[in-house]
Amino acid sequence: MPTREPIPYVGRFAPSPTGPLHFGSLVAASASYLQARANNGQWLLRIEDIDPPREQPGATSEIVHALERYGFEWDGDIRFQSSGHEAHSAALASLIDKNLAYRCRCSRASLAEARRGELGIIYPGTCRDGCEAGESAIRIRTNNSEIAFVDAIQGRVSQCLETESGDFVIRRRDGLIAYHLAVVVDDEIQGVTEVVRGIDLLDSTPRQIWLQHTLDYRTPSYAHIPVITHPNGDKLSKSTGAPGIPLHNVEATLIDALIALRLSPPKKLARDSVSKVWLWAVENWQLGKLSGQKSIVKTA
Ligand code: GLU
């Protein structure tokens, strides 16, 4: 039998330009970078700029500048998600053509009484069989087959979407492509083989896998890294006052990120250059050290 060539590893970091990179995003970026480099893979940078109302002016250049200062080296050009509009629209059209997606005119207010689950409102299917013409969102049909995957850090995850989320929005009422659809189309176009990202997206993954199935795409592997919290347990994020990462003495902050990822860098590494820190980290990287961890307190 001919031996099959292994598929080359392709990873990515896909920040939304909603603010500067904070320590939690540095940890996520570092984990995906290390996993790609330790697998001799490519690491792509994609700016997820398709939600203008949430974007902050200048955030894209701040993020790119910070990544450069911290010594990240991405392969190829940066992909701007907004440049993929045609591909996103084509995927949407193919789902509508096959009657796998439908228009929905339900407003937030009209869904106020709907049941809620861990994933938010469970859409009751009001517009499944049609609705009046006019401004509408588009939802993908779901069913109750079990969507399961084994996350490389968090273990087995499964959901039955019809019961747990209901048909979900893939194009918003304001005309913007929803995150779930855009991310799945872009990962397919870019040939991403493993998604390493924050645990806040773990619950979203079954919906993304469902979209991959309906669009006939490959499903990458997934590894969701623990959330970084303040000592009081609050997630480090813009809303809890996490500042942007410093752009001076970056070695020290990078080393803190490695420690958060359960590596044990030698003390003397703090006096080395950023590229030396990365060399050490790639050599010593072990995703398995994070196994089963859901949160890590930032102590430094
Ligand atoms: N753009 C998303 C964020 O910044 C991440 C998307 C992903 O990694 O799938 O939260």
mmCIF file of all heavy atoms in Angstrom, residues 4 12 18 21 45 53 61 71 86 94 100-101 111-112 140 144 175 178 186 189 192 201 223 237 240 248 254 282 297:
data_model
loop_
_atom_site.group_PDB
_atom_site.id
_atom_site.type_symbol
_atom_site.label_atom_id
_atom_site.label_comp_id
_atom_site.label_asym_id
_atom_site.label_seq_id
_atom_site.Cartn_x
_atom_site.Cartn_y
_atom_site.Cartn_z
ATOM 1 N N ARG A 4 0.696 7.258 2.904
ATOM 2 C CA ARG A 4 0.149 8.605 2.724
ATOM 3 C C ARG A 4 1.071 9.636 3.335
ATOM 4 O O ARG A 4 1.526 9.480 4.453
ATOM 5 C CB ARG A 4 -1.202 8.723 3.430
ATOM 6 C CG ARG A 4 -2.317 8.134 2.651
ATOM 7 C CD ARG A 4 -3.476 9.142 2.622
ATOM 8 N NE ARG A 4 -4.679 8.451 2.234
ATOM 9 C CZ ARG A 4 -5.748 8.384 3.004
ATOM 10 N NH1 ARG A 4 -5.751 8.960 4.180
ATOM 11 N NH2 ARG A 4 -6.800 7.737 2.592
ATOM 12 N N ARG A 12 -2.898 28.809 13.549
ATOM 13 C CA ARG A 12 -3.175 30.240 13.323
ATOM 14 C C ARG A 12 -3.525 30.933 14.638
ATOM 15 O O ARG A 12 -3.925 30.304 15.620
ATOM 16 C CB ARG A 12 -4.277 30.420 12.280
ATOM 17 C CG ARG A 12 -5.571 29.603 12.428
ATOM 18 C CD ARG A 12 -6.345 29.920 13.627
ATOM 19 N NE ARG A 12 -7.738 29.556 13.590
ATOM 20 C CZ ARG A 12 -8.602 29.907 14.537
ATOM 21 N NH1 ARG A 12 -8.197 30.559 15.606
ATOM 22 N NH2 ARG A 12 -9.861 29.565 14.470
ATOM 23 N N THR A 18 -10.531 44.375 18.708
ATOM 24 C CA THR A 18 -11.433 45.078 19.626
ATOM 25 C C THR A 18 -10.655 45.810 20.715
ATOM 26 O O THR A 18 -11.249 46.435 21.582
ATOM 27 C CB THR A 18 -12.403 44.074 20.283
ATOM 28 O OG1 THR A 18 -11.622 42.988 20.809
ATOM 29 C CG2 THR A 18 -13.385 43.507 19.278
ATOM 30 N N LEU A 21 -3.619 43.790 22.621
ATOM 31 C CA LEU A 21 -3.404 42.442 23.172
ATOM 32 C C LEU A 21 -3.176 42.549 24.672
ATOM 33 O O LEU A 21 -2.328 43.321 25.113
ATOM 34 C CB LEU A 21 -2.143 41.820 22.574
ATOM 35 C CG LEU A 21 -2.165 41.217 21.185
ATOM 36 C CD1 LEU A 21 -0.872 40.448 20.949
ATOM 37 C CD2 LEU A 21 -3.362 40.310 20.981
ATOM 38 N N LEU A 45 -1.371 34.417 10.710
ATOM 39 C CA LEU A 45 -2.010 35.487 11.489
ATOM 40 C C LEU A 45 -3.203 36.009 10.699
ATOM 41 O O LEU A 45 -3.076 36.379 9.525
ATOM 42 C CB LEU A 45 -1.001 36.618 11.744
ATOM 43 C CG LEU A 45 -1.554 37.846 12.476
ATOM 44 C CD1 LEU A 45 -2.128 37.468 13.843
ATOM 45 C CD2 LEU A 45 -0.448 38.901 12.648
ATOM 46 N N PRO A 53 -18.864 47.383 14.364
ATOM 47 C CA PRO A 53 -19.356 48.032 15.596
ATOM 48 C C PRO A 53 -18.517 47.691 16.834
ATOM 49 O O PRO A 53 -18.475 48.465 17.789
ATOM 50 C CB PRO A 53 -20.780 47.486 15.750
ATOM 51 C CG PRO A 53 -21.171 46.984 14.394
ATOM 52 C CD PRO A 53 -19.897 46.588 13.703
ATOM 53 N N SER A 61 -3.278 47.757 14.135
ATOM 54 C CA SER A 61 -1.839 48.041 14.092
ATOM 55 C C SER A 61 -1.204 47.848 15.465
ATOM 56 O O SER A 61 -0.047 47.404 15.561
ATOM 57 C CB SER A 61 -1.543 49.417 13.504
ATOM 58 O OG SER A 61 -2.352 50.366 14.094
ATOM 59 N N GLY A 71 8.347 39.075 19.081
ATOM 60 C CA GLY A 71 9.129 38.126 18.294
ATOM 61 C C GLY A 71 8.338 37.038 17.580
ATOM 62 O O GLY A 71 8.910 36.044 17.133
ATOM 63 N N GLU A 86 -16.429 37.643 -0.216
ATOM 64 C CA GLU A 86 -17.014 36.836 -1.308
ATOM 65 C C GLU A 86 -17.117 35.372 -0.924
ATOM 66 O O GLU A 86 -18.117 34.715 -1.191
ATOM 67 C CB GLU A 86 -16.132 36.946 -2.561
ATOM 68 C CG GLU A 86 -16.670 37.962 -3.522
ATOM 69 C CD GLU A 86 -15.759 38.130 -4.718
ATOM 70 O OE1 GLU A 86 -15.289 37.112 -5.270
ATOM 71 O OE2 GLU A 86 -15.511 39.294 -5.074
ATOM 72 N N SER A 94 -24.621 28.858 -0.608
ATOM 73 C CA SER A 94 -24.736 27.406 -0.865
ATOM 74 C C SER A 94 -25.612 26.754 0.210
ATOM 75 O O SER A 94 -26.370 25.832 -0.074
ATOM 76 C CB SER A 94 -23.359 26.751 -0.949
ATOM 77 O OG SER A 94 -22.829 26.552 0.340
ATOM 78 N N LEU A 100 -30.495 24.425 3.761
ATOM 79 C CA LEU A 100 -29.906 24.086 5.060
ATOM 80 C C LEU A 100 -29.895 25.317 5.978
ATOM 81 O O LEU A 100 -29.549 25.234 7.146
ATOM 82 C CB LEU A 100 -28.472 23.581 4.874
ATOM 83 C CG LEU A 100 -28.351 22.284 4.066
ATOM 84 C CD1 LEU A 100 -26.894 21.972 3.740
ATOM 85 C CD2 LEU A 100 -28.979 21.136 4.845
ATOM 86 N N ALA A 101 -30.251 26.460 5.385
ATOM 87 C CA ALA A 101 -30.297 27.701 6.164
ATOM 88 C C ALA A 101 -31.531 28.480 5.730
ATOM 89 O O ALA A 101 -32.008 28.309 4.603
ATOM 90 C CB ALA A 101 -29.035 28.520 5.919
ATOM 91 N N LEU A 111 -37.821 37.050 21.224
ATOM 92 C CA LEU A 111 -37.240 35.798 21.751
ATOM 93 C C LEU A 111 -37.023 35.867 23.271
ATOM 94 O O LEU A 111 -36.505 34.925 23.864
ATOM 95 C CB LEU A 111 -35.909 35.499 21.049
ATOM 96 C CG LEU A 111 -36.014 35.141 19.559
ATOM 97 C CD1 LEU A 111 -34.631 35.031 18.943
ATOM 98 C CD2 LEU A 111 -36.796 33.846 19.353
ATOM 99 N N ALA A 112 -37.474 36.968 23.852
ATOM 100 C CA ALA A 112 -37.201 37.161 25.288
ATOM 101 C C ALA A 112 -37.774 36.030 26.139
ATOM 102 O O ALA A 112 -37.216 35.687 27.179
ATOM 103 C CB ALA A 112 -37.754 38.504 25.741
ATOM 104 N N ILE A 140 -28.816 28.637 10.451
ATOM 105 C CA ILE A 140 -28.528 27.296 9.929
ATOM 106 C C ILE A 140 -29.426 26.307 10.666
ATOM 107 O O ILE A 140 -29.617 26.435 11.877
ATOM 108 C CB ILE A 140 -27.028 26.946 10.110
ATOM 109 C CG1 ILE A 140 -26.688 25.539 9.626
ATOM 110 C CG2 ILE A 140 -26.567 27.047 11.549
ATOM 111 C CD1 ILE A 140 -26.003 25.510 8.329
ATOM 112 N N ASN A 144 -30.565 16.875 16.127
ATOM 113 C CA ASN A 144 -30.127 16.414 17.444
ATOM 114 C C ASN A 144 -29.103 15.294 17.401
ATOM 115 O O ASN A 144 -28.929 14.584 18.384
ATOM 116 C CB ASN A 144 -31.324 16.044 18.311
ATOM 117 C CG ASN A 144 -31.587 17.172 19.304
ATOM 118 O OD1 ASN A 144 -30.674 17.949 19.609
ATOM 119 N ND2 ASN A 144 -32.812 17.278 19.772
ATOM 120 N N GLY A 175 -26.871 42.347 8.428
ATOM 121 C CA GLY A 175 -26.223 41.986 7.168
ATOM 122 C C GLY A 175 -24.813 41.443 7.353
ATOM 123 O O GLY A 175 -24.215 40.928 6.398
ATOM 124 N N ALA A 178 -21.903 36.209 10.500
ATOM 125 C CA ALA A 178 -21.649 35.912 11.917
ATOM 126 C C ALA A 178 -20.291 35.219 12.072
ATOM 127 O O ALA A 178 -19.817 34.517 11.174
ATOM 128 C CB ALA A 178 -22.761 35.025 12.466
ATOM 129 N N ASP A 186 -12.806 30.650 6.772
ATOM 130 C CA ASP A 186 -11.406 31.076 6.708
ATOM 131 C C ASP A 186 -10.442 29.961 7.105
ATOM 132 O O ASP A 186 -9.380 29.804 6.499
ATOM 133 C CB ASP A 186 -11.176 32.311 7.589
ATOM 134 C CG ASP A 186 -11.763 33.548 6.951
ATOM 135 O OD1 ASP A 186 -12.483 33.401 5.950
ATOM 136 O OD2 ASP A 186 -11.508 34.661 7.434
ATOM 137 N N ILE A 189 -10.212 27.799 4.033
ATOM 138 C CA ILE A 189 -9.436 28.425 2.942
ATOM 139 C C ILE A 189 -7.952 28.398 3.278
ATOM 140 O O ILE A 189 -7.104 28.166 2.413
ATOM 141 C CB ILE A 189 -9.891 29.890 2.723
ATOM 142 C CG1 ILE A 189 -11.287 29.918 2.114
ATOM 143 C CG2 ILE A 189 -8.907 30.655 1.846
ATOM 144 C CD1 ILE A 189 -11.858 31.321 1.974
ATOM 145 N N VAL A 192 -6.129 25.282 7.744
ATOM 146 C CA VAL A 192 -5.734 25.127 9.152
ATOM 147 C C VAL A 192 -5.988 23.687 9.607
ATOM 148 O O VAL A 192 -7.073 23.143 9.397
ATOM 149 C CB VAL A 192 -6.517 26.142 10.031
ATOM 150 C CG1 VAL A 192 -6.319 25.865 11.510
ATOM 151 C CG2 VAL A 192 -6.094 27.563 9.674
ATOM 152 N N LEU A 201 -13.955 29.690 23.790
ATOM 153 C CA LEU A 201 -14.581 29.272 22.534
ATOM 154 C C LEU A 201 -14.861 27.769 22.475
ATOM 155 O O LEU A 201 -15.354 27.264 21.464
ATOM 156 C CB LEU A 201 -13.712 29.720 21.341
ATOM 157 C CG LEU A 201 -13.711 31.249 21.174
ATOM 158 C CD1 LEU A 201 -12.615 31.706 20.233
ATOM 159 C CD2 LEU A 201 -15.073 31.733 20.687
ATOM 160 N N ALA A 223 -7.510 22.483 20.370
ATOM 161 C CA ALA A 223 -6.904 22.506 21.710
ATOM 162 C C ALA A 223 -7.292 23.849 22.324
ATOM 163 O O ALA A 223 -6.925 24.908 21.799
ATOM 164 C CB ALA A 223 -5.388 22.369 21.621
ATOM 165 N N SER A 237 -9.614 40.412 30.898
ATOM 166 C CA SER A 237 -10.129 40.885 29.619
ATOM 167 C C SER A 237 -10.247 42.384 29.710
ATOM 168 O O SER A 237 -10.093 42.972 30.783
ATOM 169 C CB SER A 237 -11.494 40.262 29.316
ATOM 170 O OG SER A 237 -12.449 40.815 30.189
ATOM 171 N N THR A 240 -12.490 43.622 32.391
ATOM 172 C CA THR A 240 -12.064 43.551 33.795
ATOM 173 C C THR A 240 -10.778 44.362 33.993
ATOM 174 O O THR A 240 -10.045 44.164 34.948
ATOM 175 C CB THR A 240 -11.843 42.091 34.260
ATOM 176 O OG1 THR A 240 -10.836 41.496 33.439
ATOM 177 C CG2 THR A 240 -13.107 41.273 34.170
ATOM 178 N N HIS A 248 7.948 47.274 26.354
ATOM 179 C CA HIS A 248 9.359 47.336 26.756
ATOM 180 C C HIS A 248 9.630 46.114 27.631
ATOM 181 O O HIS A 248 8.688 45.531 28.193
ATOM 182 C CB HIS A 248 9.631 48.618 27.555
ATOM 183 C CG HIS A 248 8.717 48.726 28.735
ATOM 184 N ND1 HIS A 248 7.493 49.350 28.662
ATOM 185 C CD2 HIS A 248 8.804 48.228 29.987
ATOM 186 C CE1 HIS A 248 6.876 49.244 29.827
ATOM 187 N NE2 HIS A 248 7.650 48.569 30.650
ATOM 188 N N LEU A 254 7.060 37.801 28.277
ATOM 189 C CA LEU A 254 6.972 36.547 27.518
ATOM 190 C C LEU A 254 7.258 35.352 28.432
ATOM 191 O O LEU A 254 6.581 34.320 28.367
ATOM 192 C CB LEU A 254 7.959 36.598 26.342
ATOM 193 C CG LEU A 254 7.971 35.395 25.414
ATOM 194 C CD1 LEU A 254 6.577 35.124 24.840
ATOM 195 C CD2 LEU A 254 8.956 35.608 24.256
ATOM 196 N N VAL A 282 10.248 26.574 22.248
ATOM 197 C CA VAL A 282 9.850 25.578 21.238
ATOM 198 C C VAL A 282 10.424 24.216 21.622
ATOM 199 O O VAL A 282 9.739 23.192 21.542
ATOM 200 C CB VAL A 282 10.337 26.000 19.823
ATOM 201 C CG1 VAL A 282 10.121 24.875 18.804
ATOM 202 C CG2 VAL A 282 9.627 27.268 19.365
ATOM 203 N N VAL A 297 -4.337 31.208 37.236
ATOM 204 C CA VAL A 297 -4.294 32.534 37.861
ATOM 205 C C VAL A 297 -2.990 33.234 37.457
ATOM 206 O O VAL A 297 -1.924 32.634 37.528
ATOM 207 C CB VAL A 297 -4.349 32.404 39.399
ATOM 208 C CG1 VAL A 297 -4.271 33.783 40.057
ATOM 209 C CG2 VAL A 297 -5.610 31.689 39.831
#
